[in-house]
Amino acid sequence: MEPASSDGMPGDVLIVEDDPIIALDFEDTILGFGVKTIRTAGDVAKALSMIADRPPDFALLDVGLVREKSFAIAERLDALKIPFVFLTGYGADVRLPAPLAHKPRLAKPYSSDALKALLKNRADVAGR
């Protein structure tokens, strides 16, 4: 894991998003916040492989990927005590499995201020 930067941002963020345009938008925004390393995965298998190789400091998980949901990734991150946020275009209507129902969500389209606050307060996110 990369150390957190002096402004409280995580050093390494994993973005799991199947839409390359949305992934690039998140990446550009997060780089602008001062995060040093960003990795992107478009499916569950790649994300789990990346986590096994080097766990991130924080992750953004699109709930609905092409033919799968990101719940297996969330369970792995939760087991490792790595904070994450679910990304969804469905807002509060998205159904999450009971063990993950209390995890934070960020609606798409997202507010840059809301995203920045989640990244800076990742310890609070992990405690949820």
Side-chain angles (χ1 to χ4, degrees), residues 9 20 39 48 53 60-61 67 94 103 117:
M9 286 290 152
R39 297 176 287 151
L48 290 173
D53 182 50
L60 300 170
L61 308 179
R67 287 184 211 73
V94 69
K103 294 297 181 181

Side-chain angles (χ1 to χ4, degrees), residues 6-52:
S6 61
D7 62 358
M9 286 290 152
D12 181 27
V13 173
L14 174 63
I15 300 169
V16 182
E17 170 62 63
D18 59 345
D19 183 317
I21 302 297
I22 294 173
L24 281 172
D25 184 52
F26 272 112
E27 187 174 340
D28 287 346
T29 301
I30 293 168
L31 285 171
F33 296 156
V35 172
K36 301 296 181 209
T37 304
I38 298 173
R39 297 176 287 151
T40 305
D43 60 55
V44 171
K46 183 172 181 184
L48 290 173
S49 174
M50 293 171 93
I51 293 165

Side-chain angles (χ1 to χ4, degrees), residues 35-116:
V35 172
K36 301 296 181 209
T37 304
I38 298 173
R39 297 176 287 151
T40 305
D43 60 55
V44 171
K46 183 172 181 184
L48 290 173
S49 174
M50 293 171 93
I51 293 165
D53 182 50
R54 187 178 84 233
D57 297 325
F58 190 87
L60 300 170
L61 308 179
D62 184 10
V63 172
L65 303 170
V66 173
R67 287 184 211 73
E68 56 194 349
K69 301 286 187 201
S70 63
F71 302 142
I73 304 163
E75 289 167 356
R76 182 68 187 132
L77 292 168
D78 205 32
L80 294 170
K81 307 259 187 272
I82 296 169
F84 63 90
V85 173
F86 283 114
L87 307 171
T88 178
Y90 299 104
D93 294 338
V94 69
R95 295 192 144 199
L96 301 176
L100 301 171
H102 64 286
K103 294 297 181 181
R105 303 168 198 195
L106 182 65
K108 295 189 283 186
Y110 65 93
S111 149
S112 292
D113 290 340
L115 177 59
K116 188 174 191 175

